[in-house]
Amino acid sequence: MNQTGKYISELLLEHDCVVVPGLGGFVANYAPAEINGSRHIIFPPSKKIVFNRKLKNNDGLLAEYISATELKTFSEATIFLNHFADNILHRLEKGESVVIETVGTLAMGAEKNISFEPDTTRNLLVSSFGFESIQALPVNREEKRIKEDIFVNRGATPVDRKSVLKRVAPYVA
């Protein structure tokens, strides 16, 4: 589609929510680093993008960004966004899936709910810039056998009290 997906993606780098008036909002939630134990992959922290259909009111963020980037007035950017949203809704109602570049794919479900599948190829968390998934080597633990000391009861040995007293008496006196 046009550059709007790129603009939404750029705004999600700095903001947690970008609203497309009349369509819905793309919300970014922090996701901590993950370890996939079965595949031995470590994923860096990231932002997980979700779509909220109820966020329809224009907060001006996207329109302001488009007007500054494309040198349009705010009104022209708002009209452009309204046409963008109407076009997407029309395509969704026809049963098409709509790919918003670098953001994700929108589709209409059987119950007329819009589903969203985020594009996971790009990490939108600025503090994780440059981090990539790491393939970890599995740790093979070897079982070491420890030789156990075997207790042998040798019995008690009698103590000669006279020899002990001879050694201790000078110190006691």
Side-chain angles (χ1 to χ4, degrees), residues 14-162:
E14 297 178 23
H15 302 278
D16 291 331
C17 181
V18 177
V19 176
V20 179
L23 179 65
F26 295 94
V27 181
N29 297 311
Y30 175 80
E34 296 178 42
I35 299 174
N36 184 323
S38 61
R39 293 181 12 201
H40 306 292
I41 297 176
I42 302 171
F43 297 100
S46 62
K47 280 186 180 179
K48 301 291 184 198
I49 309 300
V50 295
F51 179 75
N52 187 341
R53 178 84 168 109
K54 295 181 180 180
L55 299 173
K56 291 183 180 183
N57 293 332
N58 189 0
D59 63 354
L61 180 67
L62 184 57
E64 183 66 36
Y65 190 76
I66 289 172
S67 69
T69 305
E70 295 187 2
L71 302 175
K72 294 181 176 183
T73 65
F74 185 81
S75 299
E76 291 173 335
T78 304
I79 292 169
F80 169 77
L81 282 174
N82 289 335
H83 289 303
F84 176 75
D86 290 342
N87 181 25
I88 288 178
L89 290 172
H90 178 69
R91 290 176 59 191
L92 289 174
E93 288 173 2
K94 289 187 345 186
E96 295 180 34
S97 293
V98 179
V99 176
I100 300 176
E101 188 178 340
T102 69
V103 178
T105 304
L106 294 169
M108 184 74 76
E111 298 174 356
K112 299 296 182 193
N113 291 329
I114 297 177
S115 64
F116 175 70
E117 185 65 35
D119 181 0
T120 57
T121 59
R122 186 170 175 217
N123 190 348
L124 297 175
L125 185 64
V126 175
S127 61
S128 292
F129 180 75
F131 291 165
E132 293 183 8
S133 300
I134 299 171
Q135 181 72 41
L137 297 175
V139 176
N140 293 326
R141 300 183 195 277
E142 293 181 12
E143 196 174 309
K144 292 185 178 181
R145 297 198 179 246
I146 300 173
K147 184 178 176 184
E148 295 182 24
D149 291 332
I150 299 173
F151 177 74
V152 177
N153 189 359
R154 295 185 183 134
T157 55
V159 177
D160 185 17
R161 291 185 180 193
K162 289 182 183 178

